[in-house]
PDB file of all heavy atoms in Angstrom:
ATOM      1  N   TYR R 705     -36.716 -35.908 -30.670  1.00 88.00           N
ATOM      2  CA  TYR R 705     -36.734 -36.695 -29.447  1.00 88.00           C
ATOM      3  C   TYR R 705     -35.334 -37.238 -29.190  1.00 88.00           C
ATOM      4  O   TYR R 705     -34.770 -37.942 -30.020  1.00 88.00           O
ATOM      5  CB  TYR R 705     -37.722 -37.856 -29.556  1.00 88.00           C
ATOM      6  CG  TYR R 705     -39.177 -37.439 -29.687  1.00 88.00           C
ATOM      7  CD1 TYR R 705     -40.104 -38.266 -30.299  1.00 88.00           C
ATOM      8  CD2 TYR R 705     -39.627 -36.217 -29.184  1.00 88.00           C
ATOM      9  CE1 TYR R 705     -41.435 -37.894 -30.427  1.00 88.00           C
ATOM     10  CE2 TYR R 705     -40.947 -35.827 -29.301  1.00 88.00           C
ATOM     11  CZ  TYR R 705     -41.849 -36.672 -29.923  1.00 88.00           C
ATOM     12  OH  TYR R 705     -43.163 -36.299 -30.048  1.00 88.00           O
ATOM     13  N   GLY R 706     -34.795 -36.895 -28.050  1.00 92.00           N
ATOM     14  CA  GLY R 706     -33.455 -37.342 -27.737  1.00 92.00           C
ATOM     15  C   GLY R 706     -33.402 -38.816 -27.372  1.00 92.00           C
ATOM     16  O   GLY R 706     -34.368 -39.390 -26.845  1.00 92.00           O
ATOM     17  N   GLN R 707     -32.270 -39.435 -27.664  1.00 93.00           N
ATOM     18  CA  GLN R 707     -32.007 -40.823 -27.291  1.00 93.00           C
ATOM     19  C   GLN R 707     -30.578 -40.934 -26.787  1.00 93.00           C
ATOM     20  O   GLN R 707     -29.718 -40.107 -27.115  1.00 93.00           O
ATOM     21  CB  GLN R 707     -32.202 -41.766 -28.487  1.00 93.00           C
ATOM     22  CG  GLN R 707     -33.619 -41.821 -29.019  1.00 93.00           C
ATOM     23  CD  GLN R 707     -33.749 -42.743 -30.223  1.00 93.00           C
ATOM     24  OE1 GLN R 707     -32.771 -43.078 -30.875  1.00 93.00           O
ATOM     25  NE2 GLN R 707     -34.968 -43.146 -30.514  1.00 93.00           N
ATOM     26  N   GLU R 708     -30.324 -41.959 -25.984  1.00 94.00           N
ATOM     27  CA  GLU R 708     -28.971 -42.185 -25.504  1.00 94.00           C
ATOM     28  C   GLU R 708     -28.098 -42.752 -26.618  1.00 94.00           C
ATOM     29  O   GLU R 708     -28.541 -43.590 -27.401  1.00 94.00           O
ATOM     30  CB  GLU R 708     -28.967 -43.171 -24.332  1.00 94.00           C
ATOM     31  CG  GLU R 708     -29.807 -42.740 -23.131  1.00 94.00           C
ATOM     32  CD  GLU R 708     -31.231 -43.248 -23.210  1.00 94.00           C
ATOM     33  OE1 GLU R 708     -31.658 -43.671 -24.319  1.00 94.00           O
ATOM     34  OE2 GLU R 708     -31.921 -43.213 -22.176  1.00 94.00           O
ATOM     35  N   ASN R 709     -26.856 -42.273 -26.710  1.00 95.00           N
ATOM     36  CA  ASN R 709     -25.890 -42.919 -27.581  1.00 95.00           C
ATOM     37  C   ASN R 709     -25.457 -44.231 -26.939  1.00 95.00           C
ATOM     38  O   ASN R 709     -25.653 -44.450 -25.743  1.00 95.00           O
ATOM     39  CB  ASN R 709     -24.688 -42.010 -27.834  1.00 95.00           C
ATOM     40  CG  ASN R 709     -25.058 -40.799 -28.656  1.00 95.00           C
ATOM     41  OD1 ASN R 709     -25.887 -40.879 -29.556  1.00 95.00           O
ATOM     42  ND2 ASN R 709     -24.460 -39.658 -28.340  1.00 95.00           N
ATOM     43  N   ALA R 710     -24.882 -45.117 -27.740  1.00 94.00           N
ATOM     44  CA  ALA R 710     -24.563 -46.455 -27.237  1.00 94.00           C
ATOM     45  C   ALA R 710     -23.153 -46.860 -27.645  1.00 94.00           C
ATOM     46  O   ALA R 710     -22.678 -46.504 -28.728  1.00 94.00           O
ATOM     47  CB  ALA R 710     -25.568 -47.471 -27.772  1.00 94.00           C
ATOM     48  N   ILE R 711     -22.501 -47.608 -26.763  1.00 96.00           N
ATOM     49  CA  ILE R 711     -21.171 -48.127 -27.048  1.00 96.00           C
ATOM     50  C   ILE R 711     -21.121 -49.594 -26.633  1.00 96.00           C
ATOM     51  O   ILE R 711     -21.670 -49.986 -25.595  1.00 96.00           O
ATOM     52  CB  ILE R 711     -20.082 -47.285 -26.331  1.00 96.00           C
ATOM     53  CG1 ILE R 711     -18.693 -47.704 -26.803  1.00 96.00           C
ATOM     54  CG2 ILE R 711     -20.219 -47.330 -24.821  1.00 96.00           C
ATOM     55  CD1 ILE R 711     -17.608 -46.711 -26.420  1.00 96.00           C
ATOM     56  N   TYR R 712     -20.511 -50.416 -27.491  1.00 96.00           N
ATOM     57  CA  TYR R 712     -20.493 -51.860 -27.300  1.00 96.00           C
ATOM     58  C   TYR R 712     -19.049 -52.365 -27.370  1.00 96.00           C
ATOM     59  O   TYR R 712     -18.280 -51.958 -28.238  1.00 96.00           O
ATOM     60  CB  TYR R 712     -21.309 -52.568 -28.387  1.00 96.00           C
ATOM     61  CG  TYR R 712     -22.747 -52.116 -28.455  1.00 96.00           C
ATOM     62  CD1 TYR R 712     -23.098 -50.982 -29.187  1.00 96.00           C
ATOM     63  CD2 TYR R 712     -23.765 -52.810 -27.806  1.00 96.00           C
ATOM     64  CE1 TYR R 712     -24.416 -50.555 -29.252  1.00 96.00           C
ATOM     65  CE2 TYR R 712     -25.082 -52.400 -27.870  1.00 96.00           C
ATOM     66  CZ  TYR R 712     -25.401 -51.266 -28.596  1.00 96.00           C
ATOM     67  OH  TYR R 712     -26.709 -50.847 -28.665  1.00 96.00           O
ATOM     68  N   ARG R 713     -18.727 -53.279 -26.479  1.00 97.00           N
ATOM     69  CA  ARG R 713     -17.401 -53.896 -26.465  1.00 97.00           C
ATOM     70  C   ARG R 713     -17.438 -55.222 -27.212  1.00 97.00           C
ATOM     71  O   ARG R 713     -18.302 -56.064 -26.980  1.00 97.00           O
ATOM     72  CB  ARG R 713     -16.933 -54.131 -25.029  1.00 97.00           C
ATOM     73  CG  ARG R 713     -15.573 -54.806 -24.934  1.00 97.00           C
ATOM     74  CD  ARG R 713     -15.124 -54.982 -23.496  1.00 97.00           C
ATOM     75  NE  ARG R 713     -13.869 -55.724 -23.424  1.00 97.00           N
ATOM     76  CZ  ARG R 713     -13.783 -57.049 -23.337  1.00 97.00           C
ATOM     77  NH1 ARG R 713     -14.892 -57.780 -23.277  1.00 97.00           N
ATOM     78  NH2 ARG R 713     -12.607 -57.643 -23.303  1.00 97.00           N
ATOM     79  N   ASN R 714     -16.492 -55.386 -28.134  1.00 98.00           N
ATOM     80  CA  ASN R 714     -16.333 -56.640 -28.860  1.00 98.00           C
ATOM     81  C   ASN R 714     -15.647 -57.648 -27.937  1.00 98.00           C
ATOM     82  O   ASN R 714     -14.491 -57.456 -27.544  1.00 98.00           O
ATOM     83  CB  ASN R 714     -15.503 -56.407 -30.123  1.00 98.00           C
ATOM     84  CG  ASN R 714     -15.458 -57.616 -31.040  1.00 98.00           C
ATOM     85  OD1 ASN R 714     -15.703 -58.737 -30.626  1.00 98.00           O
ATOM     86  ND2 ASN R 714     -15.121 -57.373 -32.300  1.00 98.00           N
ATOM     87  N   ARG R 715     -16.346 -58.718 -27.586  1.00 97.00           N
ATOM     88  CA  ARG R 715     -15.795 -59.698 -26.645  1.00 97.00           C
ATOM     89  C   ARG R 715     -14.798 -60.648 -27.298  1.00 97.00           C
ATOM     90  O   ARG R 715     -14.131 -61.422 -26.604  1.00 97.00           O
ATOM     91  CB  ARG R 715     -16.933 -60.528 -26.021  1.00 97.00           C
ATOM     92  CG  ARG R 715     -17.986 -59.680 -25.347  1.00 97.00           C
ATOM     93  CD  ARG R 715     -18.898 -60.488 -24.443  1.00 97.00           C
ATOM     94  NE  ARG R 715     -19.244 -61.795 -24.986  1.00 97.00           N
ATOM     95  CZ  ARG R 715     -20.099 -62.635 -24.405  1.00 97.00           C
ATOM     96  NH1 ARG R 715     -20.682 -62.284 -23.272  1.00 97.00           N
ATOM     97  NH2 ARG R 715     -20.388 -63.810 -24.937  1.00 97.00           N
ATOM     98  N   GLY R 716     -14.711 -60.627 -28.619  1.00 95.00           N
ATOM     99  CA  GLY R 716     -13.773 -61.497 -29.316  1.00 95.00           C
ATOM    100  C   GLY R 716     -14.298 -62.892 -29.566  1.00 95.00           C
ATOM    101  O   GLY R 716     -13.572 -63.740 -30.099  1.00 95.00           O
ATOM    102  N   ASP R 717     -15.566 -63.151 -29.208  1.00 94.00           N
ATOM    103  CA  ASP R 717     -16.173 -64.463 -29.428  1.00 94.00           C
ATOM    104  C   ASP R 717     -17.384 -64.390 -30.351  1.00 94.00           C
ATOM    105  O   ASP R 717     -18.220 -65.287 -30.358  1.00 94.00           O
ATOM    106  CB  ASP R 717     -16.578 -65.090 -28.089  1.00 94.00           C
ATOM    107  CG  ASP R 717     -17.605 -64.243 -27.324  1.00 94.00           C
ATOM    108  OD1 ASP R 717     -17.980 -63.155 -27.821  1.00 94.00           O
ATOM    109  OD2 ASP R 717     -18.041 -64.676 -26.231  1.00 94.00           O
ATOM    110  N   GLY R 718     -17.473 -63.302 -31.121  1.00 92.00           N
ATOM    111  CA  GLY R 718     -18.599 -63.136 -32.026  1.00 92.00           C
ATOM    112  C   GLY R 718     -19.744 -62.326 -31.451  1.00 92.00           C
ATOM    113  O   GLY R 718     -20.735 -62.094 -32.138  1.00 92.00           O
ATOM    114  N   ARG R 719     -19.620 -61.891 -30.200  1.00 95.00           N
ATOM    115  CA  ARG R 719     -20.696 -61.145 -29.561  1.00 95.00           C
ATOM    116  C   ARG R 719     -20.195 -59.779 -29.084  1.00 95.00           C
ATOM    117  O   ARG R 719     -19.015 -59.594 -28.775  1.00 95.00           O
ATOM    118  CB  ARG R 719     -21.271 -61.919 -28.370  1.00 95.00           C
ATOM    119  CG  ARG R 719     -21.981 -63.200 -28.782  1.00 95.00           C
ATOM    120  CD  ARG R 719     -22.607 -63.887 -27.579  1.00 95.00           C
ATOM    121  NE  ARG R 719     -23.599 -63.041 -26.913  1.00 95.00           N
ATOM    122  CZ  ARG R 719     -24.859 -62.923 -27.312  1.00 95.00           C
ATOM    123  NH1 ARG R 719     -25.281 -63.578 -28.387  1.00 95.00           N
ATOM    124  NH2 ARG R 719     -25.715 -62.155 -26.662  1.00 95.00           N
ATOM    125  N   PHE R 720     -21.152 -58.831 -29.028  1.00 96.00           N
ATOM    126  CA  PHE R 720     -20.884 -57.504 -28.498  1.00 96.00           C
ATOM    127  C   PHE R 720     -21.600 -57.334 -27.161  1.00 96.00           C
ATOM    128  O   PHE R 720     -22.730 -57.785 -26.994  1.00 96.00           O
ATOM    129  CB  PHE R 720     -21.359 -56.419 -29.465  1.00 96.00           C
ATOM    130  CG  PHE R 720     -20.437 -56.189 -30.629  1.00 96.00           C
ATOM    131  CD1 PHE R 720     -20.566 -56.935 -31.787  1.00 96.00           C
ATOM    132  CD2 PHE R 720     -19.446 -55.223 -30.570  1.00 96.00           C
ATOM    133  CE1 PHE R 720     -19.719 -56.730 -32.876  1.00 96.00           C
ATOM    134  CE2 PHE R 720     -18.595 -55.007 -31.647  1.00 96.00           C
ATOM    135  CZ  PHE R 720     -18.733 -55.763 -32.797  1.00 96.00           C
ATOM    136  N   GLU R 721     -20.927 -56.656 -26.235  1.00 95.00           N
ATOM    137  CA  GLU R 721     -21.482 -56.396 -24.911  1.00 95.00           C
ATOM    138  C   GLU R 721     -21.774 -54.908 -24.784  1.00 95.00           C
ATOM    139  O   GLU R 721     -20.896 -54.066 -24.999  1.00 95.00           O
ATOM    140  CB  GLU R 721     -20.471 -56.833 -23.849  1.00 95.00           C
ATOM    141  CG  GLU R 721     -20.863 -56.482 -22.432  1.00 95.00           C
ATOM    142  CD  GLU R 721     -19.743 -56.762 -21.445  1.00 95.00           C
ATOM    143  OE1 GLU R 721     -18.625 -57.137 -21.890  1.00 95.00           O
ATOM    144  OE2 GLU R 721     -19.978 -56.591 -20.238  1.00 95.00           O
ATOM    145  N   ASN R 722     -23.020 -54.562 -24.440  1.00 94.00           N
ATOM    146  CA  ASN R 722     -23.391 -53.162 -24.254  1.00 94.00           C
ATOM    147  C   ASN R 722     -22.787 -52.653 -22.944  1.00 94.00           C
ATOM    148  O   ASN R 722     -23.165 -53.083 -21.864  1.00 94.00           O
ATOM    149  CB  ASN R 722     -24.913 -53.027 -24.222  1.00 94.00           C
ATOM    150  CG  ASN R 722     -25.358 -51.569 -24.279  1.00 94.00           C
ATOM    151  OD1 ASN R 722     -24.585 -50.658 -24.002  1.00 94.00           O
ATOM    152  ND2 ASN R 722     -26.604 -51.349 -24.641  1.00 94.00           N
ATOM    153  N   VAL R 723     -21.819 -51.750 -23.047  1.00 96.00           N
ATOM    154  CA  VAL R 723     -21.143 -51.229 -21.859  1.00 96.00           C
ATOM    155  C   VAL R 723     -21.498 -49.760 -21.628  1.00 96.00           C
ATOM    156  O   VAL R 723     -20.799 -49.050 -20.909  1.00 96.00           O
ATOM    157  CB  VAL R 723     -19.616 -51.394 -21.983  1.00 96.00           C
ATOM    158  CG1 VAL R 723     -19.233 -52.867 -22.011  1.00 96.00           C
ATOM    159  CG2 VAL R 723     -19.075 -50.686 -23.236  1.00 96.00           C
ATOM    160  N   SER R 724     -22.613 -49.309 -22.198  1.00 95.00           N
ATOM    161  CA  SER R 724     -23.001 -47.903 -22.109  1.00 95.00           C
ATOM    162  C   SER R 724     -23.202 -47.449 -20.672  1.00 95.00           C
ATOM    163  O   SER R 724     -22.884 -46.304 -20.314  1.00 95.00           O
ATOM    164  CB  SER R 724     -24.283 -47.663 -22.912  1.00 95.00           C
ATOM    165  OG  SER R 724     -24.119 -48.045 -24.266  1.00 95.00           O
ATOM    166  N   GLU R 725     -23.730 -48.323 -19.808  1.00 94.00           N
ATOM    167  CA  GLU R 725     -24.033 -47.922 -18.430  1.00 94.00           C
ATOM    168  C   GLU R 725     -22.786 -47.615 -17.629  1.00 94.00           C
ATOM    169  O   GLU R 725     -22.843 -46.863 -16.653  1.00 94.00           O
ATOM    170  CB  GLU R 725     -24.845 -49.018 -17.740  1.00 94.00           C
ATOM    171  CG  GLU R 725     -26.265 -49.162 -18.272  1.00 94.00           C
ATOM    172  CD  GLU R 725     -27.084 -50.127 -17.439  1.00 94.00           C
ATOM    173  OE1 GLU R 725     -26.534 -50.690 -16.464  1.00 94.00           O
ATOM    174  OE2 GLU R 725     -28.260 -50.327 -17.761  1.00 94.00           O
ATOM    175  N   THR R 726     -21.648 -48.184 -18.016  1.00 95.00           N
ATOM    176  CA  THR R 726     -20.414 -47.969 -17.267  1.00 95.00           C
ATOM    177  C   THR R 726     -19.391 -47.140 -18.045  1.00 95.00           C
ATOM    178  O   THR R 726     -18.252 -46.984 -17.587  1.00 95.00           O
ATOM    179  CB  THR R 726     -19.781 -49.323 -16.887  1.00 95.00           C
ATOM    180  OG1 THR R 726     -19.506 -50.080 -18.081  1.00 95.00           O
ATOM    181  CG2 THR R 726     -20.720 -50.124 -16.000  1.00 95.00           C
ATOM    182  N   ALA R 727     -19.788 -46.608 -19.202  1.00 96.00           N
ATOM    183  CA  ALA R 727     -18.833 -45.908 -20.067  1.00 96.00           C
ATOM    184  C   ALA R 727     -18.730 -44.419 -19.770  1.00 96.00           C
ATOM    185  O   ALA R 727     -17.937 -43.720 -20.396  1.00 96.00           O
ATOM    186  CB  ALA R 727     -19.218 -46.105 -21.531  1.00 96.00           C
ATOM    187  N   GLY R 728     -19.526 -43.916 -18.821  1.00 96.00           N
ATOM    188  CA  GLY R 728     -19.464 -42.497 -18.485  1.00 96.00           C
ATOM    189  C   GLY R 728     -20.833 -41.856 -18.482  1.00 96.00           C
ATOM    190  O   GLY R 728     -21.792 -42.392 -19.065  1.00 96.00           O
ATOM    191  N   PRO R 729     -20.973 -40.700 -17.834  1.00 97.00           N
ATOM    192  CA  PRO R 729     -22.286 -40.056 -17.695  1.00 97.00           C
ATOM    193  C   PRO R 729     -22.921 -39.649 -19.017  1.00 97.00           C
ATOM    194  O   PRO R 729     -24.140 -39.535 -19.097  1.00 97.00           O
ATOM    195  CB  PRO R 729     -21.996 -38.834 -16.810  1.00 97.00           C
ATOM    196  CG  PRO R 729     -20.516 -38.609 -16.914  1.00 97.00           C
ATOM    197  CD  PRO R 729     -19.910 -39.959 -17.121  1.00 97.00           C
ATOM    198  N   HIS R 730     -22.115 -39.401 -20.049  1.00 96.00           N
ATOM    199  CA  HIS R 730     -22.708 -39.006 -21.332  1.00 96.00           C
ATOM    200  C   HIS R 730     -23.712 -40.028 -21.823  1.00 96.00           C
ATOM    201  O   HIS R 730     -24.742 -39.658 -22.410  1.00 96.00           O
ATOM    202  CB  HIS R 730     -21.620 -38.818 -22.393  1.00 96.00           C
ATOM    203  CG  HIS R 730     -22.180 -38.743 -23.789  1.00 96.00           C
ATOM    204  ND1 HIS R 730     -22.772 -37.611 -24.297  1.00 96.00           N
ATOM    205  CD2 HIS R 730     -22.292 -39.698 -24.772  1.00 96.00           C
ATOM    206  CE1 HIS R 730     -23.212 -37.851 -25.525  1.00 96.00           C
ATOM    207  NE2 HIS R 730     -22.930 -39.094 -25.829  1.00 96.00           N
ATOM    208  N   PHE R 731     -23.450 -41.299 -21.611  1.00 96.00           N
ATOM    209  CA  PHE R 731     -24.292 -42.346 -22.165  1.00 96.00           C
ATOM    210  C   PHE R 731     -25.597 -42.520 -21.384  1.00 96.00           C
ATOM    211  O   PHE R 731     -26.409 -43.377 -21.722  1.00 96.00           O
ATOM    212  CB  PHE R 731     -23.506 -43.658 -22.223  1.00 96.00           C
ATOM    213  CG  PHE R 731     -22.376 -43.608 -23.217  1.00 96.00           C
ATOM    214  CD1 PHE R 731     -21.100 -43.241 -22.823  1.00 96.00           C
ATOM    215  CD2 PHE R 731     -22.598 -43.882 -24.556  1.00 96.00           C
ATOM    216  CE1 PHE R 731     -20.065 -43.177 -23.742  1.00 96.00           C
ATOM    217  CE2 PHE R 731     -21.567 -43.812 -25.483  1.00 96.00           C
ATOM    218  CZ  PHE R 731     -20.305 -43.457 -25.080  1.00 96.00           C
ATOM    219  N   GLN R 732     -25.805 -41.688 -20.372  1.00 95.00           N
ATOM    220  CA  GLN R 732     -27.095 -41.633 -19.687  1.00 95.00           C
ATOM    221  C   GLN R 732     -27.893 -40.402 -20.123  1.00 95.00           C
ATOM    222  O   GLN R 732     -29.044 -40.244 -19.727  1.00 95.00           O
ATOM    223  CB  GLN R 732     -26.876 -41.597 -18.170  1.00 95.00           C
ATOM    224  CG  GLN R 732     -25.904 -42.638 -17.639  1.00 95.00           C
ATOM    225  CD  GLN R 732     -26.249 -44.049 -18.066  1.00 95.00           C
ATOM    226  OE1 GLN R 732     -27.412 -44.455 -17.999  1.00 95.00           O
ATOM    227  NE2 GLN R 732     -25.245 -44.805 -18.501  1.00 95.00           N
ATOM    228  N   GLU R 733     -27.292 -39.553 -20.927  1.00 96.00           N
ATOM    229  CA  GLU R 733     -27.963 -38.348 -21.411  1.00 96.00           C
ATOM    230  C   GLU R 733     -28.679 -38.633 -22.730  1.00 96.00           C
ATOM    231  O   GLU R 733     -28.331 -39.576 -23.448  1.00 96.00           O
ATOM    232  CB  GLU R 733     -26.937 -37.232 -21.626  1.00 96.00           C
ATOM    233  CG  GLU R 733     -26.129 -36.865 -20.395  1.00 96.00           C
ATOM    234  CD  GLU R 733     -24.979 -35.933 -20.732  1.00 96.00           C
ATOM    235  OE1 GLU R 733     -24.825 -35.572 -21.929  1.00 96.00           O
ATOM    236  OE2 GLU R 733     -24.215 -35.579 -19.807  1.00 96.00           O
ATOM    237  N   LYS R 734     -29.667 -37.792 -23.046  1.00 95.00           N
ATOM    238  CA  LYS R 734     -30.401 -37.937 -24.300  1.00 95.00           C
ATOM    239  C   LYS R 734     -30.132 -36.739 -25.205  1.00 95.00           C
ATOM    240  O   LYS R 734     -30.252 -35.589 -24.785  1.00 95.00           O
ATOM    241  CB  LYS R 734     -31.900 -38.073 -24.033  1.00 95.00           C
ATOM    242  CG  LYS R 734     -32.274 -39.375 -23.331  1.00 95.00           C
ATOM    243  CD  LYS R 734     -33.777 -39.535 -23.222  1.00 95.00           C
ATOM    244  CE  LYS R 734     -34.124 -40.875 -22.566  1.00 95.00           C
ATOM    245  NZ  LYS R 734     -35.596 -41.097 -22.490  1.00 95.00           N
ATOM    246  N   HIS R 735     -29.745 -37.048 -26.432  1.00 94.00           N
ATOM    247  CA  HIS R 735     -29.500 -36.034 -27.444  1.00 94.00           C
ATOM    248  C   HIS R 735     -30.084 -36.526 -28.765  1.00 94.00           C
ATOM    249  O   HIS R 735     -30.376 -37.707 -28.926  1.00 94.00           O
ATOM    250  CB  HIS R 735     -27.998 -35.781 -27.613  1.00 94.00           C
ATOM    251  CG  HIS R 735     -27.311 -35.312 -26.366  1.00 94.00           C
ATOM    252  ND1 HIS R 735     -27.243 -33.989 -26.004  1.00 94.00           N
ATOM    253  CD2 HIS R 735     -26.662 -36.001 -25.381  1.00 94.00           C
ATOM    254  CE1 HIS R 735     -26.579 -33.871 -24.862  1.00 94.00           C
ATOM    255  NE2 HIS R 735     -26.222 -35.082 -24.469  1.00 94.00           N
ATOM    256  N   VAL R 736     -30.249 -35.607 -29.708  1.00 94.00           N
ATOM    257  CA  VAL R 736     -30.675 -35.998 -31.052  1.00 94.00           C
ATOM    258  C   VAL R 736     -29.416 -36.116 -31.895  1.00 94.00           C
ATOM    259  O   VAL R 736     -29.042 -35.215 -32.647  1.00 94.00           O
ATOM    260  CB  VAL R 736     -31.674 -34.980 -31.645  1.00 94.00           C
ATOM    261  CG1 VAL R 736     -32.247 -35.501 -32.974  1.00 94.00           C
ATOM    262  CG2 VAL R 736     -32.807 -34.711 -30.662  1.00 94.00           C
ATOM    263  N   GLY R 737     -28.741 -37.249 -31.750  1.00 93.00           N
ATOM    264  CA  GLY R 737     -27.451 -37.440 -32.382  1.00 93.00           C
ATOM    265  C   GLY R 737     -27.547 -37.602 -33.891  1.00 93.00           C
ATOM    266  O   GLY R 737     -28.508 -38.160 -34.419  1.00 93.00           O
ATOM    267  N   ARG R 738     -26.513 -37.136 -34.580  1.00 94.00           N
ATOM    268  CA  ARG R 738     -26.407 -37.313 -36.027  1.00 94.00           C
ATOM    269  C   ARG R 738     -24.984 -37.777 -36.372  1.00 94.00           C
ATOM    270  O   ARG R 738     -24.686 -38.930 -36.366  1.00 94.00           O
ATOM    271  CB  ARG R 738     -26.768 -36.006 -36.761  1.00 94.00           C
ATOM    272  CG  ARG R 738     -28.258 -35.666 -36.714  1.00 94.00           C
ATOM    273  CD  ARG R 738     -29.108 -36.723 -37.392  1.00 94.00           C
ATOM    274  NE  ARG R 738     -30.516 -36.339 -37.467  1.00 94.00           N
ATOM    275  CZ  ARG R 738     -31.449 -36.715 -36.603  1.00 94.00           C
ATOM    276  NH1 ARG R 738     -31.118 -37.472 -35.560  1.00 94.00           N
ATOM    277  NH2 ARG R 738     -32.699 -36.350 -36.759  1.00 94.00           N
ATOM    278  N   GLY R 739     -24.087 -36.869 -36.667  1.00 94.00           N
ATOM    279  CA  GLY R 739     -22.732 -37.252 -37.038  1.00 94.00           C
ATOM    280  C   GLY R 739     -21.922 -37.702 -35.829  1.00 94.00           C
ATOM    281  O   GLY R 739     -22.204 -37.324 -34.688  1.00 94.00           O
ATOM    282  N   GLY R 740     -20.916 -38.509 -36.087  1.00 93.00           N
ATOM    283  CA  GLY R 740     -20.036 -38.960 -35.026  1.00 93.00           C
ATOM    284  C   GLY R 740     -18.806 -39.631 -35.608  1.00 93.00           C
ATOM    285  O   GLY R 740     -18.907 -40.328 -36.623  1.00 93.00           O
ATOM    286  N   THR R 741     -17.659 -39.412 -34.989  1.00 92.00           N
ATOM    287  CA  THR R 741     -16.440 -40.004 -35.514  1.00 92.00           C
ATOM    288  C   THR R 741     -15.397 -40.080 -34.405  1.00 92.00           C
ATOM    289  O   THR R 741     -15.615 -39.598 -33.293  1.00 92.00           O
ATOM    290  CB  THR R 741     -15.910 -39.181 -36.700  1.00 92.00           C
ATOM    291  OG1 THR R 741     -14.876 -39.903 -37.361  1.00 92.00           O
ATOM    292  CG2 THR R 741     -15.378 -37.840 -36.254  1.00 92.00           C
ATOM    293  N   GLY R 742     -14.260 -40.684 -34.725  1.00 93.00           N
ATOM    294  CA  GLY R 742     -13.207 -40.863 -33.738  1.00 93.00           C
ATOM    295  C   GLY R 742     -11.930 -40.155 -34.129  1.00 93.00           C
ATOM    296  O   GLY R 742     -11.585 -40.088 -35.310  1.00 93.00           O
ATOM    297  N   PHE R 743     -11.218 -39.616 -33.141  1.00 92.00           N
ATOM    298  CA  PHE R 743      -9.889 -39.065 -33.371  1.00 92.00           C
ATOM    299  C   PHE R 743      -9.183 -38.914 -32.020  1.00 92.00           C
ATOM    300  O   PHE R 743      -9.826 -38.706 -30.993  1.00 92.00           O
ATOM    301  CB  PHE R 743      -9.948 -37.730 -34.116  1.00 92.00           C
ATOM    302  CG  PHE R 743     -10.459 -36.568 -33.301  1.00 92.00           C
ATOM    303  CD1 PHE R 743      -9.622 -35.507 -32.985  1.00 92.00           C
ATOM    304  CD2 PHE R 743     -11.778 -36.511 -32.880  1.00 92.00           C
ATOM    305  CE1 PHE R 743     -10.088 -34.438 -32.250  1.00 92.00           C
ATOM    306  CE2 PHE R 743     -12.251 -35.443 -32.143  1.00 92.00           C
ATOM    307  CZ  PHE R 743     -11.411 -34.395 -31.824  1.00 92.00           C
ATOM    308  N   ASP R 744      -7.889 -39.038 -32.061  1.00 97.00           N
ATOM    309  CA  ASP R 744      -7.082 -38.934 -30.854  1.00 97.00           C
ATOM    310  C   ASP R 744      -6.674 -37.474 -30.688  1.00 97.00           C
ATOM    311  O   ASP R 744      -5.567 -37.090 -31.056  1.00 97.00           O
ATOM    312  CB  ASP R 744      -5.870 -39.866 -30.966  1.00 97.00           C
ATOM    313  CG  ASP R 744      -5.006 -39.873 -29.721  1.00 97.00           C
ATOM    314  OD1 ASP R 744      -5.380 -39.214 -28.732  1.00 97.00           O
ATOM    315  OD2 ASP R 744      -3.939 -40.524 -29.745  1.00 97.00           O
ATOM    316  N   TYR R 745      -7.547 -36.678 -30.091  1.00 96.00           N
ATOM    317  CA  TYR R 745      -7.315 -35.237 -30.066  1.00 96.00           C
ATOM    318  C   TYR R 745      -6.204 -34.829 -29.107  1.00 96.00           C
ATOM    319  O   TYR R 745      -5.565 -33.785 -29.290  1.00 96.00           O
ATOM    320  CB  TYR R 745      -8.609 -34.489 -29.734  1.00 96.00           C
ATOM    321  CG  TYR R 745      -8.893 -34.342 -28.260  1.00 96.00           C
ATOM    322  CD1 TYR R 745      -8.537 -33.179 -27.578  1.00 96.00           C
ATOM    323  CD2 TYR R 745      -9.502 -35.364 -27.541  1.00 96.00           C
ATOM    324  CE1 TYR R 745      -8.783 -33.034 -26.222  1.00 96.00           C
ATOM    325  CE2 TYR R 745      -9.752 -35.227 -26.195  1.00 96.00           C
ATOM    326  CZ  TYR R 745      -9.397 -34.066 -25.538  1.00 96.00           C
ATOM    327  OH  TYR R 745      -9.647 -33.948 -24.196  1.00 96.00           O
TER     328      TYR R 745
END
């Protein structure tokens, strides 16, 4: 069952803000995610 991936912005005050809705169309898609990492390709 696919689910949306999520991305959160650190506000710097101890809280995270879910910015998935404005982070791009990918975050509205559903996938069966597993591995994930970051790199400046």
Side-chain angles (χ1 to χ4, degrees):
Y705 295 155
Q707 296 179 341
E708 302 91 344
N709 292 324
I711 189 166
Y712 302 85
R713 178 178 176 271
N714 188 339
R715 304 195 321 185
D717 61 358
R719 294 183 60 83
F720 282 88
E721 174 188 5
N722 190 341
V723 295
S724 303
E725 290 188 359
T726 59
H730 166 78
F731 293 93
Q732 312 307 315
E733 302 170 0
K734 292 186 178 182
H735 300 273
V736 187
R738 288 298 186 264
T741 191
F743 72 114
D744 183 4
Y745 86 96

